[in-house]
Amino acid sequence: MTSFSATAVACANIALIKFWGNRDSELRIPANSSLSMNLDGLVTRTRVTFDPSLNGDQLTINHAPASAEGMGRVKIVMDLVRKMSRLDTFAEIASENNFPTGAGIASSASAFAALSLAASAAAGLQLSERELSRLARRGSGSACRSIPTGFVEWQAGHDDESSFAFTIAPPDYWDLVDCIAVVSETHKPTTSSEGHKLAATSVLQRARLADTPARLDRCRRALLERDFGCLSEVIELDCNLMHAVMMTSIPSLLYWQPVTLELIHAVRGWRESGMPVCYTIDAGPNVHVLTLAGFVDQVCQTLSQIPGVDNILIAKPGGPASLDL
């Protein structure tokens, strides 16, 4: 009996215009389109080995057995790959992140992007970027954005065929840098998947969704015109709207910690003093501080002086998911 395998690497991404809530939870069709930046150097490396001797799929994450919830989501992707390739073989899956897992730094995005590419390649499939994006979406919505390169837009669509991500600008288009102030590396108590299901319980969700297309257009234009001032305004507004929905859902979700709020105030103060900085925060307490390449040292130095900032991760715009040959 012969086994066959492939290894893939994918970047995490930071959503500049965020999605929160699903139109279809099973297919992970989002309630709104979104826009993101891949994060160079913050990666998941996943090896998938189809082995006829296995009686079921096996998964380790950072060398530890995966949870039942994690295994269930992986099985969705693996079953889709088996269906497309007409395989009936189970696989051994080994996934490793080089950044904190489950702490609001899009570890599921990079993980399912890498899994989708590695599994499909190991199964002998040659999927297009769009097909890979759709496959990754079935494991984690934001994973579809980690398949293409650079600055990426996820078209929400209305069904499985029309919901996928594509590049709007390559990584070297603009010298933005994400300086991530890590204030906690622990797993968040409520996962994003669980949180998406609560979005519709917030009285603010309908208003957030109604204005999202306008914010997306403003953000896309700011990126393409390299307008940092406009980018700052729209991504901070979008971030605050998403967290307002979280805070007013039933039950309420509050991912922020005291230092998270302190960092928000600090970033606003630095910008008023002339430093090009803005913030955005995913479903977690860690704060992504965006700046231009020439200001990275200054930003990191000021971030490091704030009590509660345990670590600072630095990421330029990243490339696409790729096979590790």
Side-chain angles (χ1 to χ4, degrees):
M1 293 187 293
T2 303
S3 61
F4 34 105
S5 65
T7 303
V9 178
C11 297
N13 67 70
I14 177 61
L16 306 178
I17 298 297
K18 304 180 185 300
F19 89 98
W20 193 249
N22 287 318
R23 185 178 304 174
D24 184 319
S25 294
E26 181 180 352
L27 294 177
R28 297 187 185 271
I29 308 297
N32 64 271
S33 299
S34 57
L35 197 154
S36 65
M37 182 181 96
N38 282 357
L39 299 177
D40 184 54
L42 302 184
V43 301
T44 298
R45 174 174 278 99
T46 299
R47 183 172 184 81
V48 174
T49 302
F50 285 99
D51 187 342
S53 69
L54 295 176
N55 295 319
D57 290 325
Q58 299 178 359
L59 171 65
T60 59
I61 301 175
N62 295 331
H63 308 289
S67 66
E69 192 270 342
M71 191 67 240
R73 293 170 67 184
V74 165
K75 187 177 184 302
I76 291 171
V77 174
M78 296 304 299
D79 285 347
L80 287 168
V81 169
R82 278 187 281 263
K83 182 178 179 180
M84 286 187 285
S85 59
R86 298 181 181 178
L87 281 176
D88 59 3
T89 307
F90 293 110
E92 179 182 359
I93 305 153
S95 186
E96 296 181 40
N97 301 318
N98 68 353
F99 61 96
T101 302
I105 315 181
S107 57
S108 66
S110 54
F112 281 97
L115 172 68
S116 298
L117 179 54
S120 59
L125 297 171
Q126 294 182 330
L127 301 183
S128 67
E129 180 180 275
R130 180 182 297 189
E131 290 169 329
L132 279 170
S133 180
R134 289 172 45 227
L135 176 62
R137 189 199 72 233
R138 297 293 297 274
S140 171
S142 57
C144 77
R145 298 190 308 238
S146 284
I147 294 293
T149 191
F151 299 93
V152 175
E153 183 171 336
W154 176 10
Q155 172 182 284
H158 58 274
D159 59 14
D160 182 49
E161 291 287 336
S162 60
S163 185
F164 60 90
F166 51 89
T167 295
I168 63 169
D172 60 357
Y173 185 80
W174 196 10
D175 61 349
L176 286 180
V177 180
D178 187 5
C179 303
I180 307 169
V182 180
V183 303
S184 175
E185 296 190 4
T186 59
H187 276 264
K188 53 198 177 190
T190 304
T191 66
S192 295
S193 292
E194 294 168 333
H196 286 302
K197 298 174 183 177
L198 301 175
T201 67
S202 168
V203 296
L204 302 180
Q205 174 72 339
R206 183 177 296 181
R208 187 191 76 86
L209 292 177
D211 188 59
T212 298
R215 295 195 307 280
L216 187 80
D217 287 344
R218 287 172 58 197
C219 187
R220 187 193 305 110
R221 186 166 59 252
L223 280 170
L224 295 179
E225 295 177 358
R226 303 182 183 91
D227 185 336
F228 193 88
C230 182
L231 182 77
S232 299
E233 291 177 4
V234 70
I235 72 170
E236 290 186 0
L237 171 61
D238 190 81
C239 168
N240 294 345
L241 283 168
M242 182 184 74
H243 282 275
V245 168
M246 293 173 175
M247 293 176 192
T248 54
S249 65
I250 303 171
S252 175
L253 300 177
L254 183 55
Y255 288 110
W256 292 357
Q257 296 182 6
V259 67
T260 307
L261 191 57
E262 183 177 351
L263 284 162
I264 290 173
H265 285 296
V267 168
R268 288 177 169 179
W270 301 335
R271 187 165 63 244
E272 289 175 1
S273 69
M275 191 187 302
V277 286
C278 57
Y279 69 83
T280 188
I281 307 163
D282 275 350
N286 301 310
V287 180
H288 295 252
V289 180
L290 291 171
T291 189
L292 300 175
F295 292 84
V296 170
D297 289 345
Q298 184 180 358
V299 169
C300 289
Q301 182 179 5
T302 50
L303 283 173
S304 66
Q305 295 172 0
I306 296 179
V309 175
D310 299 328
N311 190 19
I312 302 169
L313 305 175
I314 302 172
K316 301 181 294 184
S322 61
L323 290 172
D324 191 8
L325 303 175

